[in-house]
Every structure is written in structure tokens, then in C-alpha cells.
Amino acid sequence: MSEQESQIALIFFGGAFLAILMSTFIVSMVVLHRQRQVQNRQKLDHLKTEYEKTILNIENEIQQETLTHIGRELHDNIGQLLSLAKLNLNSTKPEKQAEGKTYINQIIKEVRSLSKTLNLDWVESVTLEDFIQQQLDKIQGTGFCQTSLDSDFSFQELKKDQKLVLIRVIQECLNNAIKHAQPDHLTIQMAKNGAFREINIIDDGLGFDTNQKSEGSGMFNLTKRMETIGGTFKLTSTVGKGTRITLLLPL
């Protein structure tokens, strides 16, 4: 074989080797891309499942609380009103019978009010600011501590699922403050902050060391719930100087 033929053969085999190498590389990239597509699809499916599970759990929790509230109202409030109405209506005195009818009208209003809470339609009918103000008023009404709400009303337009998650997370944060913080003042701030809507829940209570591991899973659950709606949960606290919780939700 001549030198020229050897060079041609070398070029031919070299080209063939490069072609095989390129083909192998391309095939590998295609396979890798498809694997990543499958993984991403599985990840999205998992996130969707977790999201739906979280929303369902929150709805169940709120419904259970609602039923507990209704049971308490039926026993403590409406039950007492019915007893008073019965006593007055059984009286022969016209003024007592009139008072009994007044009680009946009050009972009707109370029952109508309770019926509205049997489903979650109230979530759509109330703004997040109104809900928070109601919660803070209840806390202050017990004499537990002073409360305040400062809002720029940037949370007026929320999807029902977002509102459900925020309602539950805020409820849990307020419950934790009541159970553990012993504050003199509890403040909630709501405002737009750049590309986010931000809620700060601030108390001047006992505070705690965030470096110490908690035995419960409360903070982890709150973090995961915020993640299901694309938000974040952040907590900072100092012993003796209170606690600050920040909830961020992208606009």
C-alpha cells in the first residue's frame, strides 16, 4: 500500500471514528435530555400532589375548627337563648312574652350566622385583612395582650388556595405566640415589598434560641405550606426580645 493510500485510509478511519464518537455523544445527550424530562415531569407531578394534599388538609382543619366552634355556640349561646325564650314565652305576662319573641329573633340571626360558616364560602367573601383583624380583636378582647394591624391592602386580590394557606399559617403563628411568647403587644404588618407581598408577625414576648432543635414539626410544616403556594417562611427570634415571622408571597 502506497503512502498516499495509507493517508487516505487513515483519514477515512479517523473520520469514521469521529462520526461514531459524535453519534455516541448525540445519542447520550438525547437520552440524558429525555431522562431529565421524565425526572422533571415526575417532580412536577409530585409537587402538584403535595399542593393538592396541603390544600385538602388545610380545608379539613378549618372545617374541623368550624364544627367545633358551631358545637360550642349551639351549647353555650343558642342553647342558653332557647332556655330564656322558653321561660319568657311560658309566662302569662305580655312583657315577658314580648321578651321571649325578641330572644327567638336573636336565635334566628345566630343560626343564620352559623349556617354561613358550615362551608368555606366565607373564605372568598372575606379579605385577608378582615380575617386577621378579626383574629387580633379576639386576642385583645380576652385581655391577653394589645394587638395592631398595619396594611397597605396589597393582599386584596388573592386566589382562594393562597388565602386558605395564608389564613392557616397566620392562625398557627398567632396560636404559637399565645401559647409560648407571653407578649405585651402583637403586631401584624402587611405590605408590598418589591416583587413580593410581605406579612410580618411580630411579638415582644419571651423569644427563644432558634439554634436549639425543636421537638415538634410546627415550623417545618409552616415552611412547607408556604412553599406550596410559591412563598417562603422565615423566623427570627432572640431570647427576651421577641419573635418576628416573615411570610413572602410573589406578586
Side-chain angles (χ1 to χ4, degrees), residues 89-155:
L89 290 173
N90 285 336
S91 175
T92 57
K93 297 179 180 180
E95 64 272 17
K96 288 294 183 181
Q97 292 181 352
E99 189 175 346
K101 292 178 181 179
T102 301
Y103 281 125
I104 293 296
N105 289 330
Q106 187 176 348
I107 291 167
I108 292 172
K109 290 179 181 179
E110 293 288 340
V111 170
R112 285 176 178 172
S113 177
L114 284 176
S115 68
K116 293 179 181 179
T117 65
L118 284 173
N119 53 48
L120 293 177
D121 290 344
W122 63 268
V123 173
E124 295 181 348
S125 64
V126 69
T127 66
L128 188 62
E129 284 85 357
D130 288 340
F131 171 80
I132 292 174
Q133 188 64 66
Q134 291 170 9
Q135 299 300 302
L136 294 179
D137 288 344
K138 288 179 183 178
I139 294 173
Q140 184 163 320
T142 65
F144 178 78
C145 70
Q146 294 295 308
T147 64
S148 60
L149 172 63
D150 182 17
S151 175
D152 66 354
F153 300 100
S154 58
F155 283 81

Short mmCIF file of all heavy atoms in Angstrom, two decimals, residues 89-155:
data_model
loop_
_atom_site.label_atom_id
_atom_site.label_comp_id
_atom_site.label_asym_id
_atom_site.label_seq_id
_atom_site.Cartn_x
_atom_site.Cartn_y
_atom_site.Cartn_z
N LEU A 89 -91.70 32.85 77.11
CA LEU A 89 -92.91 32.56 76.34
C LEU A 89 -93.94 31.81 77.17
O LEU A 89 -95.15 31.86 76.89
CB LEU A 89 -92.55 31.76 75.09
CG LEU A 89 -91.78 32.53 74.00
CD1 LEU A 89 -91.34 31.59 72.89
CD2 LEU A 89 -92.65 33.66 73.42
N ASN A 90 -93.48 31.07 78.20
CA ASN A 90 -94.40 30.34 79.07
C ASN A 90 -95.05 31.24 80.12
O ASN A 90 -95.96 30.82 80.83
CB ASN A 90 -93.66 29.19 79.78
CG ASN A 90 -93.39 28.03 78.84
OD1 ASN A 90 -94.09 27.86 77.85
ND2 ASN A 90 -92.39 27.23 79.16
N SER A 91 -94.53 32.46 80.20
CA SER A 91 -95.08 33.40 81.17
C SER A 91 -96.42 33.95 80.67
O SER A 91 -96.68 34.05 79.47
CB SER A 91 -94.10 34.55 81.41
OG SER A 91 -94.67 35.53 82.25
N THR A 92 -97.27 34.33 81.61
CA THR A 92 -98.56 34.92 81.25
C THR A 92 -98.47 36.43 81.10
O THR A 92 -99.43 37.07 80.63
CB THR A 92 -99.61 34.59 82.34
OG1 THR A 92 -99.13 35.07 83.61
CG2 THR A 92 -99.86 33.09 82.42
N LYS A 93 -97.34 36.99 81.47
CA LYS A 93 -97.15 38.43 81.38
C LYS A 93 -96.82 38.83 79.94
O LYS A 93 -95.90 38.25 79.33
CB LYS A 93 -96.03 38.89 82.31
CG LYS A 93 -96.33 38.65 83.79
CD LYS A 93 -95.17 39.10 84.66
CE LYS A 93 -95.48 38.86 86.13
NZ LYS A 93 -94.36 39.30 87.00
N PRO A 94 -97.53 39.78 79.37
CA PRO A 94 -97.29 40.22 77.98
C PRO A 94 -95.86 40.69 77.73
O PRO A 94 -95.29 40.41 76.69
CB PRO A 94 -98.30 41.35 77.78
CG PRO A 94 -99.37 41.08 78.78
CD PRO A 94 -98.68 40.48 79.98
N GLU A 95 -95.29 41.43 78.72
CA GLU A 95 -93.93 41.94 78.52
C GLU A 95 -92.90 40.80 78.45
O GLU A 95 -91.91 40.88 77.73
CB GLU A 95 -93.56 42.93 79.63
CG GLU A 95 -93.51 42.37 81.04
CD GLU A 95 -94.86 42.43 81.73
OE1 GLU A 95 -95.89 42.60 81.04
OE2 GLU A 95 -94.88 42.32 82.97
N LYS A 96 -93.15 39.73 79.24
CA LYS A 96 -92.25 38.58 79.20
C LYS A 96 -92.39 37.83 77.87
O LYS A 96 -91.40 37.36 77.31
CB LYS A 96 -92.58 37.64 80.36
CG LYS A 96 -92.16 38.16 81.72
CD LYS A 96 -90.64 38.27 81.81
CE LYS A 96 -90.19 38.73 83.18
NZ LYS A 96 -88.72 38.85 83.27
N GLN A 97 -93.61 37.71 77.37
CA GLN A 97 -93.81 37.06 76.07
C GLN A 97 -93.15 37.85 74.94
O GLN A 97 -92.57 37.27 74.02
CB GLN A 97 -95.32 36.90 75.81
CG GLN A 97 -95.99 35.91 76.74
CD GLN A 97 -97.47 35.74 76.45
OE1 GLN A 97 -98.04 36.48 75.64
NE2 GLN A 97 -98.11 34.77 77.11
N ALA A 98 -93.22 39.17 75.04
CA ALA A 98 -92.56 40.02 74.04
C ALA A 98 -91.05 39.83 74.10
O ALA A 98 -90.37 39.78 73.07
CB ALA A 98 -92.93 41.48 74.28
N GLU A 99 -90.55 39.71 75.33
CA GLU A 99 -89.10 39.48 75.51
C GLU A 99 -88.71 38.12 74.93
O GLU A 99 -87.65 37.96 74.33
CB GLU A 99 -88.75 39.56 76.99
CG GLU A 99 -87.24 39.55 77.25
CD GLU A 99 -86.91 39.75 78.72
OE1 GLU A 99 -87.83 40.17 79.48
OE2 GLU A 99 -85.76 39.49 79.09
N GLY A 100 -89.61 37.13 75.11
CA GLY A 100 -89.35 35.80 74.55
C GLY A 100 -89.28 35.83 73.03
O GLY A 100 -88.43 35.17 72.42
N LYS A 101 -90.18 36.61 72.41
CA LYS A 101 -90.14 36.75 70.94
C LYS A 101 -88.84 37.42 70.48
O LYS A 101 -88.30 37.08 69.42
CB LYS A 101 -91.36 37.54 70.48
CG LYS A 101 -92.68 36.81 70.66
CD LYS A 101 -93.86 37.68 70.24
CE LYS A 101 -95.18 36.94 70.46
NZ LYS A 101 -96.35 37.77 70.08
N THR A 102 -88.35 38.36 71.27
CA THR A 102 -87.08 39.01 70.95
C THR A 102 -85.94 37.99 70.96
O THR A 102 -85.07 38.00 70.09
CB THR A 102 -86.78 40.14 71.97
OG1 THR A 102 -87.83 41.09 71.94
CG2 THR A 102 -85.46 40.82 71.65
N TYR A 103 -85.99 37.10 71.96
CA TYR A 103 -84.97 36.03 72.01
C TYR A 103 -85.06 35.13 70.79
O TYR A 103 -84.03 34.69 70.25
CB TYR A 103 -85.15 35.21 73.29
CG TYR A 103 -84.58 35.85 74.53
CD1 TYR A 103 -85.38 36.06 75.66
CD2 TYR A 103 -83.25 36.26 74.59
CE1 TYR A 103 -84.86 36.64 76.81
CE2 TYR A 103 -82.72 36.84 75.72
CZ TYR A 103 -83.53 37.04 76.83
OH TYR A 103 -83.01 37.62 77.96
N ILE A 104 -86.28 34.82 70.36
CA ILE A 104 -86.47 33.97 69.18
C ILE A 104 -85.84 34.62 67.95
O ILE A 104 -85.15 33.96 67.16
CB ILE A 104 -87.97 33.69 68.93
CG1 ILE A 104 -88.56 32.83 70.05
CG2 ILE A 104 -88.16 33.00 67.58
CD1 ILE A 104 -87.95 31.45 70.15
N ASN A 105 -86.08 35.91 67.77
CA ASN A 105 -85.48 36.63 66.64
C ASN A 105 -83.96 36.60 66.71
O ASN A 105 -83.27 36.46 65.69
CB ASN A 105 -85.98 38.08 66.61
CG ASN A 105 -87.44 38.18 66.21
OD1 ASN A 105 -87.95 37.34 65.46
ND2 ASN A 105 -88.14 39.20 66.71
N GLN A 106 -83.41 36.74 67.91
CA GLN A 106 -81.96 36.69 68.09
C GLN A 106 -81.42 35.31 67.76
O GLN A 106 -80.36 35.17 67.14
CB GLN A 106 -81.60 37.08 69.52
CG GLN A 106 -80.09 37.21 69.75
CD GLN A 106 -79.76 37.68 71.16
OE1 GLN A 106 -80.64 38.12 71.91
NE2 GLN A 106 -78.49 37.59 71.51
N ILE A 107 -82.18 34.27 68.15
CA ILE A 107 -81.76 32.89 67.86
C ILE A 107 -81.72 32.66 66.35
O ILE A 107 -80.80 32.03 65.83
CB ILE A 107 -82.73 31.89 68.54
CG1 ILE A 107 -82.55 31.95 70.05
CG2 ILE A 107 -82.49 30.48 68.02
CD1 ILE A 107 -83.65 31.25 70.82
N ILE A 108 -82.73 33.18 65.63
CA ILE A 108 -82.77 33.02 64.17
C ILE A 108 -81.53 33.64 63.53
O ILE A 108 -80.92 33.06 62.64
CB ILE A 108 -84.07 33.65 63.61
CG1 ILE A 108 -85.29 32.84 64.06
CG2 ILE A 108 -84.01 33.72 62.08
CD1 ILE A 108 -86.61 33.49 63.72
N LYS A 109 -81.17 34.84 64.01
CA LYS A 109 -79.97 35.52 63.47
C LYS A 109 -78.71 34.71 63.75
O LYS A 109 -77.84 34.58 62.89
CB LYS A 109 -79.85 36.92 64.08
CG LYS A 109 -80.91 37.89 63.61
CD LYS A 109 -80.72 39.26 64.27
CE LYS A 109 -81.80 40.24 63.81
NZ LYS A 109 -81.64 41.57 64.47
N GLU A 110 -78.62 34.16 64.96
CA GLU A 110 -77.44 33.37 65.34
C GLU A 110 -77.33 32.11 64.49
O GLU A 110 -76.24 31.74 64.04
CB GLU A 110 -77.51 32.99 66.82
CG GLU A 110 -77.40 34.16 67.79
CD GLU A 110 -76.00 34.74 67.84
OE1 GLU A 110 -75.05 34.05 67.44
OE2 GLU A 110 -75.87 35.89 68.28
N VAL A 111 -78.46 31.44 64.25
CA VAL A 111 -78.46 30.21 63.45
C VAL A 111 -78.07 30.52 62.00
O VAL A 111 -77.30 29.77 61.38
CB VAL A 111 -79.84 29.53 63.51
CG1 VAL A 111 -79.91 28.38 62.49
CG2 VAL A 111 -80.11 29.00 64.91
N ARG A 112 -78.59 31.61 61.45
CA ARG A 112 -78.23 32.01 60.09
C ARG A 112 -76.73 32.30 59.98
O ARG A 112 -76.07 31.93 59.00
CB ARG A 112 -79.03 33.23 59.67
CG ARG A 112 -80.48 32.93 59.33
CD ARG A 112 -81.24 34.21 59.03
NE ARG A 112 -82.63 33.92 58.64
CZ ARG A 112 -83.56 34.86 58.47
NH1 ARG A 112 -83.26 36.15 58.67
NH2 ARG A 112 -84.78 34.52 58.11
N SER A 113 -76.21 32.96 61.00
CA SER A 113 -74.79 33.27 61.01
C SER A 113 -73.95 32.00 61.05
O SER A 113 -72.95 31.88 60.34
CB SER A 113 -74.45 34.16 62.21
OG SER A 113 -73.07 34.42 62.28
N LEU A 114 -74.36 31.05 61.87
CA LEU A 114 -73.63 29.78 61.97
C LEU A 114 -73.70 28.99 60.67
O LEU A 114 -72.74 28.34 60.27
CB LEU A 114 -74.19 28.94 63.12
CG LEU A 114 -73.80 29.37 64.54
CD1 LEU A 114 -74.52 28.51 65.55
CD2 LEU A 114 -72.30 29.28 64.74
N SER A 115 -74.86 29.03 60.01
CA SER A 115 -75.03 28.26 58.77
C SER A 115 -74.06 28.71 57.69
O SER A 115 -73.65 27.92 56.84
CB SER A 115 -76.47 28.36 58.27
OG SER A 115 -76.76 29.68 57.83
N LYS A 116 -73.70 30.00 57.73
CA LYS A 116 -72.77 30.53 56.72
C LYS A 116 -71.36 29.98 56.90
O LYS A 116 -70.56 30.01 55.98
CB LYS A 116 -72.74 32.05 56.78
CG LYS A 116 -74.05 32.70 56.35
CD LYS A 116 -73.96 34.22 56.46
CE LYS A 116 -75.28 34.87 56.06
NZ LYS A 116 -75.21 36.36 56.20
N THR A 117 -71.05 29.50 58.11
CA THR A 117 -69.70 29.00 58.38
C THR A 117 -69.56 27.50 58.15
O THR A 117 -68.49 26.95 58.37
CB THR A 117 -69.30 29.33 59.83
OG1 THR A 117 -70.15 28.61 60.72
CG2 THR A 117 -69.39 30.81 60.11
N LEU A 118 -70.64 26.84 57.73
CA LEU A 118 -70.59 25.40 57.54
C LEU A 118 -69.75 24.99 56.34
O LEU A 118 -69.34 23.85 56.21
CB LEU A 118 -72.01 24.83 57.40
CG LEU A 118 -72.80 24.72 58.70
CD1 LEU A 118 -74.23 24.31 58.42
CD2 LEU A 118 -72.14 23.73 59.65
N ASN A 119 -69.54 25.89 55.40
CA ASN A 119 -68.67 25.61 54.27
C ASN A 119 -67.59 26.67 54.20
O ASN A 119 -67.52 27.57 55.03
CB ASN A 119 -69.47 25.54 52.97
CG ASN A 119 -70.31 26.79 52.75
OD1 ASN A 119 -69.81 27.90 52.88
ND2 ASN A 119 -71.58 26.61 52.42
N LEU A 120 -66.75 26.58 53.18
CA LEU A 120 -65.62 27.50 53.08
C LEU A 120 -65.92 28.68 52.16
O LEU A 120 -64.99 29.35 51.70
CB LEU A 120 -64.38 26.74 52.58
CG LEU A 120 -63.82 25.71 53.56
CD1 LEU A 120 -62.65 24.97 52.94
CD2 LEU A 120 -63.40 26.36 54.86
N ASP A 121 -67.19 28.93 51.89
CA ASP A 121 -67.53 30.09 51.05
C ASP A 121 -67.09 31.40 51.70
O ASP A 121 -66.82 32.38 51.02
CB ASP A 121 -69.03 30.12 50.79
CG ASP A 121 -69.47 29.00 49.85
OD1 ASP A 121 -68.59 28.41 49.19
OD2 ASP A 121 -70.67 28.71 49.78
N TRP A 122 -67.04 31.40 53.05
CA TRP A 122 -66.66 32.61 53.75
C TRP A 122 -65.23 33.04 53.40
O TRP A 122 -64.89 34.22 53.51
CB TRP A 122 -66.80 32.44 55.26
CG TRP A 122 -65.89 31.38 55.85
CD1 TRP A 122 -66.19 30.08 56.04
CD2 TRP A 122 -64.54 31.56 56.31
NE1 TRP A 122 -65.13 29.41 56.60
CE2 TRP A 122 -64.10 30.29 56.77
CE3 TRP A 122 -63.68 32.64 56.37
CZ2 TRP A 122 -62.83 30.11 57.30
CZ3 TRP A 122 -62.41 32.45 56.89
CH2 TRP A 122 -61.99 31.20 57.36
N VAL A 123 -64.40 32.07 52.98
CA VAL A 123 -63.01 32.40 52.62
C VAL A 123 -62.99 33.38 51.45
O VAL A 123 -62.17 34.31 51.41
CB VAL A 123 -62.22 31.13 52.28
CG1 VAL A 123 -60.83 31.48 51.75
CG2 VAL A 123 -62.10 30.23 53.50
N GLU A 124 -63.89 33.17 50.50
CA GLU A 124 -63.95 34.04 49.33
C GLU A 124 -64.63 35.37 49.65
O GLU A 124 -64.38 36.37 48.99
CB GLU A 124 -64.67 33.34 48.18
CG GLU A 124 -63.92 32.11 47.67
CD GLU A 124 -64.65 31.44 46.52
OE1 GLU A 124 -65.82 31.79 46.28
OE2 GLU A 124 -64.06 30.57 45.86
N SER A 125 -65.49 35.39 50.66
CA SER A 125 -66.26 36.60 50.95
C SER A 125 -65.53 37.56 51.88
O SER A 125 -65.94 38.71 52.02
CB SER A 125 -67.61 36.22 51.57
OG SER A 125 -67.42 35.58 52.83
N VAL A 126 -64.45 37.10 52.53
CA VAL A 126 -63.72 37.94 53.47
C VAL A 126 -62.31 38.20 52.94
O VAL A 126 -61.70 37.34 52.32
CB VAL A 126 -63.65 37.28 54.87
CG1 VAL A 126 -62.76 36.05 54.84
CG2 VAL A 126 -63.17 38.26 55.92
N THR A 127 -61.82 39.42 53.15
CA THR A 127 -60.44 39.72 52.75
C THR A 127 -59.49 39.18 53.82
O THR A 127 -59.89 38.96 54.97
CB THR A 127 -60.20 41.22 52.58
OG1 THR A 127 -60.34 41.86 53.86
CG2 THR A 127 -61.20 41.82 51.59
N LEU A 128 -58.23 39.01 53.43
CA LEU A 128 -57.24 38.53 54.39
C LEU A 128 -57.08 39.54 55.53
O LEU A 128 -56.93 39.15 56.70
CB LEU A 128 -55.90 38.29 53.69
CG LEU A 128 -54.83 37.61 54.54
CD1 LEU A 128 -55.27 36.21 54.98
CD2 LEU A 128 -53.51 37.51 53.75
N GLU A 129 -57.12 40.83 55.19
CA GLU A 129 -57.01 41.87 56.21
C GLU A 129 -58.15 41.77 57.22
O GLU A 129 -57.93 41.89 58.44
CB GLU A 129 -57.00 43.27 55.57
CG GLU A 129 -55.70 43.65 54.90
CD GLU A 129 -55.61 43.14 53.47
OE1 GLU A 129 -56.55 42.45 53.03
OE2 GLU A 129 -54.62 43.44 52.80
N ASP A 130 -59.39 41.57 56.73
CA ASP A 130 -60.54 41.46 57.62
C ASP A 130 -60.40 40.25 58.54
O ASP A 130 -60.71 40.32 59.74
CB ASP A 130 -61.84 41.33 56.81
CG ASP A 130 -62.23 42.64 56.14
OD1 ASP A 130 -61.73 43.69 56.59
OD2 ASP A 130 -63.02 42.60 55.18
N PHE A 131 -59.95 39.13 57.97
CA PHE A 131 -59.78 37.92 58.78
C PHE A 131 -58.75 38.15 59.88
O PHE A 131 -58.99 37.80 61.05
CB PHE A 131 -59.33 36.74 57.90
CG PHE A 131 -58.93 35.53 58.69
CD1 PHE A 131 -59.89 34.67 59.20
CD2 PHE A 131 -57.59 35.28 58.96
CE1 PHE A 131 -59.52 33.56 59.95
CE2 PHE A 131 -57.22 34.18 59.71
CZ PHE A 131 -58.19 33.32 60.21
N ILE A 132 -57.61 38.74 59.52
CA ILE A 132 -56.56 39.00 60.51
C ILE A 132 -57.05 39.94 61.59
O ILE A 132 -56.79 39.74 62.78
CB ILE A 132 -55.30 39.56 59.82
CG1 ILE A 132 -54.66 38.48 58.93
CG2 ILE A 132 -54.29 40.06 60.85
CD1 ILE A 132 -53.50 38.97 58.10
N GLN A 133 -57.77 40.99 61.19
CA GLN A 133 -58.29 41.94 62.17
C GLN A 133 -59.24 41.26 63.15
O GLN A 133 -59.21 41.53 64.36
CB GLN A 133 -59.01 43.09 61.45
CG GLN A 133 -59.42 44.23 62.38
CD GLN A 133 -58.21 44.91 63.00
OE1 GLN A 133 -57.41 45.55 62.31
NE2 GLN A 133 -58.07 44.78 64.32
N GLN A 134 -60.07 40.33 62.63
CA GLN A 134 -60.98 39.58 63.50
C GLN A 134 -60.21 38.76 64.52
O GLN A 134 -60.56 38.71 65.70
CB GLN A 134 -61.88 38.67 62.66
CG GLN A 134 -62.90 39.42 61.79
CD GLN A 134 -63.58 38.50 60.79
OE1 GLN A 134 -63.43 37.28 60.84
NE2 GLN A 134 -64.35 39.08 59.89
N GLN A 135 -59.13 38.10 64.06
CA GLN A 135 -58.32 37.29 64.95
C GLN A 135 -57.65 38.14 66.03
O GLN A 135 -57.62 37.78 67.20
CB GLN A 135 -57.26 36.52 64.15
CG GLN A 135 -57.80 35.57 63.12
CD GLN A 135 -58.69 34.49 63.71
OE1 GLN A 135 -58.27 33.74 64.58
NE2 GLN A 135 -59.93 34.43 63.25
N LEU A 136 -57.11 39.28 65.62
CA LEU A 136 -56.44 40.16 66.56
C LEU A 136 -57.43 40.75 67.57
O LEU A 136 -57.11 40.90 68.76
CB LEU A 136 -55.71 41.29 65.81
CG LEU A 136 -54.54 40.86 64.93
CD1 LEU A 136 -53.92 42.07 64.23
CD2 LEU A 136 -53.47 40.12 65.75
N ASP A 137 -58.62 41.09 67.10
CA ASP A 137 -59.66 41.62 68.00
C ASP A 137 -60.04 40.58 69.06
O ASP A 137 -60.26 40.92 70.24
CB ASP A 137 -60.89 42.04 67.21
CG ASP A 137 -60.67 43.31 66.40
OD1 ASP A 137 -59.67 44.02 66.67
OD2 ASP A 137 -61.47 43.57 65.48
N LYS A 138 -60.12 39.31 68.64
CA LYS A 138 -60.45 38.24 69.59
C LYS A 138 -59.36 38.13 70.66
O LYS A 138 -59.65 37.97 71.85
CB LYS A 138 -60.59 36.91 68.86
CG LYS A 138 -61.85 36.79 68.01
CD LYS A 138 -61.89 35.44 67.31
CE LYS A 138 -63.12 35.33 66.41
NZ LYS A 138 -63.13 34.02 65.68
N ILE A 139 -58.09 38.20 70.23
CA ILE A 139 -56.97 38.09 71.17
C ILE A 139 -56.99 39.25 72.15
O ILE A 139 -56.88 39.06 73.37
CB ILE A 139 -55.63 38.04 70.41
CG1 ILE A 139 -55.54 36.75 69.59
CG2 ILE A 139 -54.46 38.13 71.39
CD1 ILE A 139 -54.33 36.69 68.67
N GLN A 140 -57.15 40.46 71.64
CA GLN A 140 -57.16 41.63 72.51
C GLN A 140 -58.39 41.64 73.40
O GLN A 140 -58.34 42.08 74.55
CB GLN A 140 -57.09 42.91 71.67
CG GLN A 140 -57.00 44.18 72.51
CD GLN A 140 -56.54 45.38 71.69
OE1 GLN A 140 -55.67 45.27 70.84
NE2 GLN A 140 -57.13 46.53 71.96
N GLY A 141 -59.50 41.13 72.88
CA GLY A 141 -60.73 41.10 73.66
C GLY A 141 -60.64 40.23 74.90
O GLY A 141 -61.35 40.45 75.89
N THR A 142 -59.75 39.22 74.87
CA THR A 142 -59.55 38.36 76.04
C THR A 142 -58.69 39.03 77.10
O THR A 142 -58.58 38.51 78.22
CB THR A 142 -58.89 37.04 75.63
OG1 THR A 142 -57.56 37.31 75.14
CG2 THR A 142 -59.69 36.32 74.57
N GLY A 143 -58.05 40.15 76.74
CA GLY A 143 -57.15 40.82 77.67
C GLY A 143 -55.76 40.21 77.68
O GLY A 143 -54.93 40.55 78.53
N PHE A 144 -55.49 39.30 76.73
CA PHE A 144 -54.20 38.62 76.70
C PHE A 144 -53.06 39.59 76.41
O PHE A 144 -52.03 39.60 77.08
CB PHE A 144 -54.23 37.51 75.65
CG PHE A 144 -52.93 36.77 75.49
CD1 PHE A 144 -52.55 35.81 76.41
CD2 PHE A 144 -52.09 37.04 74.42
CE1 PHE A 144 -51.35 35.14 76.27
CE2 PHE A 144 -50.89 36.36 74.28
CZ PHE A 144 -50.51 35.41 75.21
N CYS A 145 -53.23 40.43 75.38
CA CYS A 145 -52.23 41.43 75.04
C CYS A 145 -52.84 42.44 74.09
O CYS A 145 -53.94 42.24 73.57
CB CYS A 145 -50.99 40.79 74.40
SG CYS A 145 -51.26 40.13 72.74
N GLN A 146 -52.11 43.52 73.84
CA GLN A 146 -52.53 44.52 72.88
C GLN A 146 -52.16 44.05 71.47
O GLN A 146 -51.13 43.37 71.29
CB GLN A 146 -51.86 45.86 73.17
CG GLN A 146 -52.29 46.50 74.48
CD GLN A 146 -53.76 46.87 74.48
OE1 GLN A 146 -54.24 47.55 73.57
NE2 GLN A 146 -54.49 46.42 75.49
N THR A 147 -52.97 44.38 70.48
CA THR A 147 -52.70 43.96 69.11
C THR A 147 -52.86 45.14 68.16
O THR A 147 -53.53 46.12 68.48
CB THR A 147 -53.66 42.84 68.66
OG1 THR A 147 -55.00 43.35 68.64
CG2 THR A 147 -53.58 41.64 69.59
N SER A 148 -52.23 45.02 67.00
CA SER A 148 -52.39 46.07 65.98
C SER A 148 -52.14 45.48 64.60
O SER A 148 -51.38 44.51 64.44
CB SER A 148 -51.42 47.23 66.23
OG SER A 148 -50.07 46.79 66.19
N LEU A 149 -52.78 46.07 63.60
CA LEU A 149 -52.63 45.65 62.21
C LEU A 149 -52.29 46.87 61.36
O LEU A 149 -52.97 47.90 61.44
CB LEU A 149 -53.93 45.01 61.69
CG LEU A 149 -53.98 44.69 60.20
CD1 LEU A 149 -52.93 43.66 59.81
CD2 LEU A 149 -55.37 44.20 59.80
N ASP A 150 -51.24 46.74 60.56
CA ASP A 150 -50.84 47.81 59.65
C ASP A 150 -50.76 47.21 58.25
O ASP A 150 -49.95 46.32 58.00
CB ASP A 150 -49.47 48.36 60.07
CG ASP A 150 -49.02 49.52 59.18
OD1 ASP A 150 -49.88 50.07 58.47
OD2 ASP A 150 -47.82 49.83 59.18
N SER A 151 -51.62 47.67 57.33
CA SER A 151 -51.69 47.08 56.00
C SER A 151 -51.80 48.14 54.92
O SER A 151 -52.45 49.18 55.12
CB SER A 151 -52.90 46.13 55.89
OG SER A 151 -53.06 45.64 54.58
N ASP A 152 -51.15 47.89 53.78
CA ASP A 152 -51.31 48.76 52.61
C ASP A 152 -52.34 48.17 51.64
O ASP A 152 -52.48 48.63 50.52
CB ASP A 152 -49.98 48.99 51.91
CG ASP A 152 -49.41 47.71 51.29
OD1 ASP A 152 -50.00 46.62 51.50
OD2 ASP A 152 -48.39 47.78 50.59
N PHE A 153 -53.02 47.10 52.07
CA PHE A 153 -54.09 46.43 51.31
C PHE A 153 -53.60 45.85 49.98
O PHE A 153 -54.35 45.77 49.01
CB PHE A 153 -55.26 47.40 51.07
CG PHE A 153 -55.87 47.92 52.33
CD1 PHE A 153 -55.54 49.18 52.82
CD2 PHE A 153 -56.75 47.13 53.05
CE1 PHE A 153 -56.08 49.65 54.00
CE2 PHE A 153 -57.30 47.59 54.24
CZ PHE A 153 -56.96 48.86 54.71
N SER A 154 -52.34 45.42 49.97
CA SER A 154 -51.79 44.78 48.77
C SER A 154 -52.18 43.32 48.67
O SER A 154 -51.86 42.66 47.68
CB SER A 154 -50.26 44.90 48.75
OG SER A 154 -49.70 44.32 49.92
N PHE A 155 -52.89 42.80 49.68
CA PHE A 155 -53.32 41.40 49.67
C PHE A 155 -54.80 41.27 49.31
O PHE A 155 -55.42 40.24 49.58
CB PHE A 155 -53.07 40.76 51.03
CG PHE A 155 -51.64 40.40 51.30
CD1 PHE A 155 -50.74 41.37 51.71
CD2 PHE A 155 -51.18 39.11 51.13
CE1 PHE A 155 -49.43 41.07 51.96
CE2 PHE A 155 -49.86 38.78 51.37
CZ PHE A 155 -48.98 39.77 51.79
#
